[in-house]
């Protein structure tokens, strides 16, 4: 080997060593930062929520290719037990990378196992996430793998972490005149809202569309948050998001599964969120019982909704 070739080879080796050292330093720096972000976010969140980690939940065996998560946002307002303000089934398929969302109207009139007919959100008040799981499975034949009980403070924190500049929505006139219901001051028109304001926007139901409008807004907001995560988030920020979720969300979803789904979003593998609402149009009617105003299924309506929901989640 000539002296010139030996010199070139030594230069290549030195460059490679420099590259490896830079890579290792960067990896360790990111790893340390990620650990710090996760731990600090998790500790801060745990100190600021009212959720219990001692929750009974007997979800079905996990199908790694198709996972159903019961998502509950409670309306306890400081009480020990409140009715579920938000009831959703979040579905994710690792085969299709397709996130899906089934929203169940909280006034849907169903049979709560062991307690008789009532609004479906009463199941949460009576028996927490486990009774809600049983109620959904008995009425709609949907197997649930995990649950996620969300503290609304956590929603605000997550929104502000994911989208520090806010999420763009269009505020309707009714929201500007009902500040007591919202708890915040909003102005009419298209604008960017931060966590607290966006939560009020997504929970508002005091217009002509009532709870139907709220469900639509909740699905709209989640869709836009998913887009925001996919467009601006980096792997280095993912541990912070998991840390916040770990503190403000009571859940039995494995951290590994959260990281796997989060990585799919970051890599742009996921599709747009597909949504469905229960009860579906023309399958129910308004009724009133001793529990108040309810959405009662027409004859055959429950079976129709159950079949459509199963097909939607499994196709």
């Amino acid at each position: 080997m000539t002296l010139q070739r030996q010199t070139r080879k030594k230069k290549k080796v030195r460059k490679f060593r420099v590259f490896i050292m830079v890579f290792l330093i960067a990896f360790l720096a990111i790893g340390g930062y990620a650990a710090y972000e996760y731990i600090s976010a998790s500790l801060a969140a745990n100190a600021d929520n009212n959720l219990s980690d001692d929750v009974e939940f007997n979800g079905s065996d996990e199908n790694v290719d198709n996972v159903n998560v019961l998502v509950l946002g409670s309306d306890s307002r400081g009480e020990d037990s409140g009715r579920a303000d938000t009831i959703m089934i979040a579905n994710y398929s690792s085969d299709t990378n397709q996130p899906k969302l089934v929203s169940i109207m909280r006034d849907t009139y169903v049979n709560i196992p062991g307690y008789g007919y009532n609004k479906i959100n009463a199941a949460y008040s009576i028996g927490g996430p486990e009774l809600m799981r049983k109620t959904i499975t008995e009425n709609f034949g949907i197997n649930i793998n995990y649950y996620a009980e969300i503290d609304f403070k956590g929603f605000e924190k997550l929104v502000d972490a994911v989208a520090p500049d806010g999420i763009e929505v269009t505020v309707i006139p009714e929201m500007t005149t009902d500040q007591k219901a919202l708890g915040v001051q909003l102005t009419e028109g298209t604008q960017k809202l931060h966590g607290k304001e966006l939560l009020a926007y997504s929970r508002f139901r005091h217009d002509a569309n009532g709870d139907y409008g709220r469900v639509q807004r909740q699905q709209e907001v989640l869709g836009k948050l998913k887009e925001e995560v996919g467009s601006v988030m980096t792997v280095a920020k993912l541990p912070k998001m998991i840390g916040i979720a770990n503190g403000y969300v009571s859940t039995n979803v494995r951290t590994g599964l959260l990281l796997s789904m989060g990585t799919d979003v970051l890599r742009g593998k996921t599709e747009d969120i597909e949504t469905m609402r229960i009860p579906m149009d023309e399958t129910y009617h308004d009724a009133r019982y001793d529990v108040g105003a309810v959405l009662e299924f027409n004859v055959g309506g429950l079976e129709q909704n159950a079949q459509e929901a199963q097909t939607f989640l499994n196709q």
Side-chain angles (χ1 to χ4, degrees), residues 23-41:
F23 175 80
L24 287 176
I25 292 171
F27 178 82
L28 291 172
I30 292 173
Y33 172 75
Y36 168 78
E37 288 285 275
Y38 171 80
I39 293 171
S40 61

Side-chain angles (χ1 to χ4, degrees), residues 86-117:
T86 300
I87 307 167
M88 295 179 174
I89 301 169
N91 171 275
Y92 184 73
S93 170
S94 59
D95 282 341
T96 64
N97 302 121
Q98 176 65 67
K100 297 179 182 178
L101 200 63
V102 176
S103 297
I104 303 178
M105 305 282 283
R106 66 180 193 169
D107 291 338
T108 303
Y109 196 56
V110 296
N111 181 40
I112 298 177
Y115 296 90
Y117 278 84

Side-chain angles (χ1 to χ4, degrees), residues 53-294:
D53 292 327
D54 185 18
V55 176
E56 177 190 4
F57 194 83
N58 301 312
S60 62
D61 292 338
E62 177 186 340
N63 176 351
V64 294
D65 297 325
N66 199 51
V67 177
N68 289 326
V69 181
L70 174 62
V71 180
L72 301 167
S74 66
D75 190 24
S76 61
R77 300 177 186 178
E79 302 170 4
D80 291 336
S81 179
R83 299 198 175 197
D85 188 54
T86 300
I87 307 167
M88 295 179 174
I89 301 169
N91 171 275
Y92 184 73
S93 170
S94 59
D95 282 341
T96 64
N97 302 121
Q98 176 65 67
K100 297 179 182 178
L101 200 63
V102 176
S103 297
I104 303 178
M105 305 282 283
R106 66 180 193 169
D107 291 338
T108 303
Y109 196 56
V110 296
N111 181 40
I112 298 177
Y115 296 90
Y117 278 84
N118 204 331
K119 298 179 180 182
I120 194 170
N121 68 338
Y124 175 81
S125 178
I126 297 169
E130 172 61 10
L131 185 56
M132 181 66 80
R133 181 196 67 79
K134 289 180 179 178
T135 301
I136 291 173
T137 299
E138 178 172 302
N139 286 274
F140 304 107
I142 298 172
N143 291 321
I144 306 292
N145 305 109
Y146 302 104
Y147 81 93
E149 185 182 2
I150 300 174
D151 185 308
F152 285 131
K153 289 182 182 178
F155 175 85
E156 298 174 12
K157 298 286 186 181
L158 284 167
V159 168
D160 289 337
V162 171
D165 294 329
I167 298 291
E168 185 173 277
V169 297
T170 300
V171 175
I172 60 177
E174 291 87 341
M175 293 180 180
T176 65
T177 58
D178 197 349
Q179 302 305 318
K180 183 177 180 180
L182 285 171
V184 296
Q185 177 70 48
L186 296 180
T187 57
E188 180 183 352
T190 300
Q191 59 201 277
K192 288 190 173 183
L193 301 182
H194 293 89
K196 188 173 183 179
E197 293 76 22
L198 196 65
L199 175 62
Y201 170 85
S202 64
R203 296 184 69 194
F204 182 79
R205 65 187 183 99
H206 298 280
D207 63 350
N209 293 321
D211 215 24
Y212 306 99
R214 169 158 62 181
V215 167
Q216 290 177 343
R217 281 187 288 274
Q218 288 173 348
Q219 293 179 342
E220 171 200 1
V221 166
L222 288 177
K224 289 187 175 182
L225 279 173
K226 184 262 181 186
E227 292 175 2
E228 191 73 21
V229 169
S231 64
V232 305
M233 235 175 106
T234 65
V235 173
K237 289 182 67 177
L238 186 58
K240 181 178 181 180
M241 308 309 303
I242 300 274
I244 293 174
N246 183 57
Y248 284 106
V249 179
S250 173
T251 183
N252 63 343
V253 179
R254 295 181 291 102
T255 301
L257 181 59
L258 285 173
L259 285 167
S260 175
M261 291 187 290
T263 301
D264 282 349
V265 172
L266 291 173
R267 291 176 179 174
K269 289 185 177 182
T270 57
E271 303 294 332
D272 291 337
I273 297 176
E274 292 185 3
T275 61
M276 176 184 176
R277 190 199 72 206
I278 293 178
M280 300 182 300
D281 290 340
E282 301 180 2
T283 65
Y284 70 96
H285 58 273
D286 294 325
R288 179 171 289 275
Y289 294 100
D290 57 348
V291 297
V294 302

